[in-house]
Amino acid sequence: MRTNRFVFYVALFLLALSTSLYADGSYWPGPIYPAFFVDGPVLDEKGKPSKYKDRNLYPSDETFANFREVHTTGIAPHRLYRSCSPLVSGKRGKAALGLLEQYNIQFVINLSNVQKDIISLAEDKPYYNKLAQEQKVVAYDMQLPVKYLENDFAEQLREVLLFIAGHPSDSYLIHCQEGKDRTGIVCALLEALTGATMKEIKADFCLSFNMYYHYPFGSSWYKERELIVETLFTDINKGLPVSDKNLRKVTESYLYHFIRLSRKDIEALKNNLTKSL
């Protein structure tokens, strides 16, 4: 049993190492995330996975706050980050807030609050408040479940993407309440737009659930989350199959025809996420 667990740890370490490389082959120095989550999730009274609330069960503030850099193919190094909300109370929010400042994030996209509340919510959070005062925070309360084929979502996503397209920066953070559902969908679209493969997008989407709930890789819970990503791209392609060959084109078409971004907006969005500044 001890030998099997050791082999498992080594395998996960090698997996994390292999997925911590940029497209140009350089090494991503961020934390290697959930290599110790081998026993599966804790289940609540309804048999559903529940979050681990004890900071001591996590190897770093990054894992605890679901904070990480997005380093799928195409995204420039140290450009795009995602996390739980730095505005929530408790140790998780405090960890996310500290990491926001530690990584010197310059722009924040908040998907779980409304713009008029940001200053008051960030009143006792100096770095977030500073960004808000400098108009470097945009906030739209995207509702759950994420209805990416409805007009309300389209209007909110359009404003979010125009914000990124209109503000060239060396770093952006996208967050919602927990950084997995709304953040996951928006990041999936940005990743596809900038050249990621379906495998990369699914891995990034599912990693949040591994962090929060300790979903074992390859488990039924994990595969259900992979299916969310597959369904997203099939739905925005009007039910037609999507593969790595047409993933980027399908995403651009969705952003142009449904989200109503101009071709110029889409190019600016891609440039701000992919090119060195």
Side-chain angles (χ1 to χ4, degrees):
M1 179 68 178
R2 185 175 299 175
T3 300
N4 289 341
R5 178 159 294 193
F6 173 76
V7 171
F8 189 85
Y9 282 138
V10 171
L12 277 181
F13 175 80
L14 293 174
L15 174 64
L17 185 62
S18 69
T19 57
S20 296
L21 296 174
Y22 290 118
D24 63 4
S26 60
Y27 178 64
W28 173 54
I32 293 173
Y33 288 110
F36 70 103
F37 297 166
V38 297
D39 297 321
V42 170
L43 303 181
D44 62 19
E45 63 277 3
K46 296 181 180 180
K48 294 184 178 181
S50 61
K51 287 179 290 186
Y52 286 71
K53 298 180 180 179
D54 185 349
R55 167 64 183 83
N56 294 326
L57 291 174
Y58 293 81
S60 67
D61 280 350
E62 282 87 348
T63 49
F64 184 57
N66 195 17
F67 183 102
R68 65 183 182 275
E69 180 182 348
V70 175
H71 55 105
T72 53
T73 298
I75 300 289
H78 319 301
R79 182 63 48 80
L80 183 62
Y81 296 80
R82 53 181 295 176
S83 78
C84 74
S85 175
L87 299 178
V88 297
S89 60
K91 293 181 179 179
R92 262 200 175 91
K94 185 177 180 180
L97 186 65
L99 292 164
L100 174 68
E101 183 171 7
Q102 178 184 325
Y103 282 76
N104 195 32
I105 305 297
Q106 296 300 302
F107 285 88
V108 174
I109 296 90
N110 178 331
L111 306 179
S112 57
N113 298 110
V114 293
Q115 197 72 38
K116 67 181 180 64
D117 294 339
I118 294 302
I119 297 296
S120 60
L121 288 170
E123 186 175 7
D124 60 344
K125 299 169 177 62
Y127 189 75
Y128 202 111
N129 187 274
K130 171 181 174 291
L131 294 178
Q133 295 285 359
E134 294 172 351
Q135 299 185 334
K136 293 182 176 180
V137 177
V138 65
Y140 289 92
D141 186 11
M142 291 184 173
Q143 297 300 301
L144 289 171
V146 180
K147 297 180 180 180
Y148 44 78
L149 294 179
E150 294 194 358
N151 289 331
D152 286 347
F153 175 84
E155 291 173 8
Q156 291 179 325
L157 182 63
R158 182 173 187 274
E159 295 305 315
V160 163
L161 299 184
L162 286 174
F163 179 80
I164 299 174
H167 294 86
S169 173
D170 58 2
S171 54
Y172 307 89
L173 173 75
I174 300 177
H175 76 79
C176 49
Q177 190 76 0
E178 297 186 343
K180 53 184 179 58
D181 297 297
R182 290 166 285 192
T183 297
I185 293 295
V186 172
C187 283
L189 291 168
L190 293 177
E191 291 161 11
L193 178 67
T194 52
T197 65
M198 185 70 78
K199 182 178 180 180
E200 287 179 295
I201 297 169
K202 289 194 290 188
D204 184 59
F205 186 87
C206 292
L207 186 53
S208 291
F209 294 87
N210 183 274
M211 287 181 174
Y212 262 114
Y213 301 108
H214 299 195
Y215 285 4
F217 294 104
S219 68
S220 59
W221 292 298
Y222 193 89
K223 290 176 180 178
E224 287 172 3
R225 269 65 206 173
E226 288 185 316
L227 184 59
I228 290 173
V229 176
E230 293 173 10
T231 302
L232 162 66
F233 290 107
T234 300
D235 285 349
I236 68 172
N237 197 34
K238 301 179 180 179
L240 298 174
V242 178
S243 68
D244 289 343
K245 291 182 178 180
N246 67 344
L247 180 57
R248 191 176 201 168
K249 184 176 180 181
V250 166
T251 304
E252 288 191 15
S253 177
Y254 169 75
L255 296 181
Y256 179 74
H257 292 287
F258 187 69
I259 305 303
R260 295 182 297 109
L261 293 183
S262 69
R263 299 294 185 192
K264 184 178 179 180
D265 294 332
I266 293 172
E267 284 306 306
L269 181 61
K270 288 194 290 187
N271 286 340
N272 288 352
L273 292 172
T274 61
K275 291 188 176 181
S276 298
L277 299 178

